[in-house]
Amino acid sequence: MAESFPMNGGDGTYSYTNNSQFQKQGSDLAKGMIKEAITEKLDTEISGTFQIVDFGCSVGPNTFFATENMIEAVKNKCILQGLDSKNMEFQVSFNDHTENDFNTLFASLPLDRQYHAAGVPGSFYRRLFPRASINLAYSSYALQWLSKMPDEVSDRKSAAWNEGKIHYSGSPTEVVDAYADQFEKDMGVFISARAEEILSGGLMVLIMPGIPESAAHLPYSAGVLFNFLGSSLMDLAIEGIIDKAEIDTFNLPIYFPSDEEMRKVIEKNGCFSIERIELVNPMSQVNGVVNLDSLIMHLRAGMEGIFTKHFGYDVTEKMFNKTLSKSEEILKLLESGHFNSTQLSVVLKRK
């Protein structure tokens, strides 16, 4: 059973709705790639009902922007093929965990949308749709979340015990390998489930944080931030606010794969052809300028729930405040130019 790690709902200060601009920059960076893939590679019948699914949609508004972009690309393909898109109907299914704030999502649906909308709650690490029912599958900044924390990293008897840390960044090889193994299992399940659901000739577009194979063991920006969150928790343990044992039993279930790791899982499945796989730097769109306050707000919007579930709200609040107090040290590291910030974009076609 996959665990649930929903983003902050509602539209408050720390909501994902108001703190997901970095994710939008990443999806915007892939707009051209998606349009090109639909125009040149989509090979399902584009008439009648055309089904699009966003796996890991969260609470918007990014999912709505992505949906409109894909629909416009499909309609343009119709024009190029001399077809009348007016005869088509678009069905868009928004998927996320059952704990996702679907109320906020559907309350903010665009009034002028050109599609029928449906919510499909449940983990995407299993089958969710009828066989051969999806024309176009999409997932953006969701698949870095594993189905669960690797068991070994919180086991004192394991060589992969990640004592005093909350993530694999900067940890021994055994810890990194435990995360990599969990990613391979989870992504294998995801790809197999989608292979059942996507029509032959249909496409799947995946966007997530990633790293080059050549830099798999080098530090990266998100890992730096995770380590500072962990050090802030350790500060709280030293101050006697929490027990260190609480930290030793907590690890973020987040993994940033290399392009080669992703390729390996896809090729092992054998049901998809890799039409495109690339790594880009989303920070190149903002001239490399780092707004740390905004970055921490984004982390809080995405991760406050999982921290609160384990440590409680008061400790989580203190952790984020302590991390902000280390801004100068964090910025010095992030702006040193020695850290990777890359996005993995993949276009797959169902054979």
Side-chain angles (χ1 to χ4, degrees), residues 2-224:
E3 296 179 35
S4 179
F5 315 112
M7 309 296 100
N8 280 355
D11 59 359
T13 303
Y14 302 120
S15 67
Y16 188 81
T17 297
N18 290 325
N19 296 281
S20 54
Q21 291 86 359
F22 288 131
Q23 291 89 334
K24 185 177 185 299
Q25 288 169 6
S27 57
D28 284 350
L29 198 59
K31 282 174 67 174
M33 180 194 75
I34 294 171
K35 181 179 179 180
E36 180 181 307
I38 291 172
T39 302
E40 299 180 2
K41 304 296 183 180
L42 180 65
D43 195 23
T44 64
E45 185 177 353
I46 45 177
S47 62
T49 301
F50 189 97
Q51 166 122 270
I52 298 173
V53 180
D54 184 349
F55 290 97
C57 63
S58 192
V59 294
N62 294 347
T63 186
F64 304 137
F65 298 138
T67 295
E68 290 295 336
N69 177 50
M70 288 185 282
I71 287 175
E72 287 303 318
V74 173
K75 290 171 72 175
N76 286 335
K77 183 179 179 73
C78 285
I79 294 172
L80 291 173
Q81 293 184 344
L83 302 174
D84 188 355
S85 63
K86 293 179 182 178
N87 296 324
M88 291 183 64
E89 288 192 305
F90 290 95
Q91 169 72 50
V92 178
S93 295
F94 298 97
N95 158 256
D96 215 309
H97 283 289
T98 54
E99 294 180 29
N100 184 57
D101 186 2
F102 282 101
N103 286 335
T104 293
L105 177 72
F106 283 99
S108 55
L109 272 170
L111 295 177
D112 59 346
R113 64 185 179 276
Q114 48 187 332
Y115 53 87
H116 302 284
V120 181
S123 169
F124 50 48
Y125 289 123
R126 64 180 179 86
R127 279 282 305 278
L128 291 166
F129 293 88
R131 186 171 287 107
S133 63
I134 300 172
N135 299 83
L136 179 56
Y138 172 84
S139 182
S140 180
Y141 282 81
L143 283 165
Q144 72 272 16
W145 287 93
L146 302 173
S147 67
K148 64 173 185 173
M149 173 184 72
D151 294 330
E152 308 94 304
V153 298
S154 60
D155 181 358
R156 289 175 176 270
K157 298 178 181 179
S158 170
W161 183 36
N162 201 21
E163 182 184 10
K165 295 177 68 66
I166 65 169
H167 195 244
Y168 67 84
S169 178
S171 291
T173 301
E174 291 85 354
V175 177
V176 180
D177 289 346
Y179 269 87
D181 289 346
Q182 187 66 50
F183 167 79
E184 185 175 352
K185 292 174 188 174
D186 287 344
M187 187 55 63
V189 170
F190 178 87
I191 295 292
S192 294
R194 305 297 81 82
E196 293 284 331
E197 299 164 346
I198 297 174
L199 284 157
S200 177
L203 297 180
M204 178 158 63
V205 178
L206 309 176
I207 304 167
M208 71 191 81
I211 55 173
E213 179 68 22
S214 60
H217 299 292
L218 297 179
Y220 51 95
S221 300
V224 171

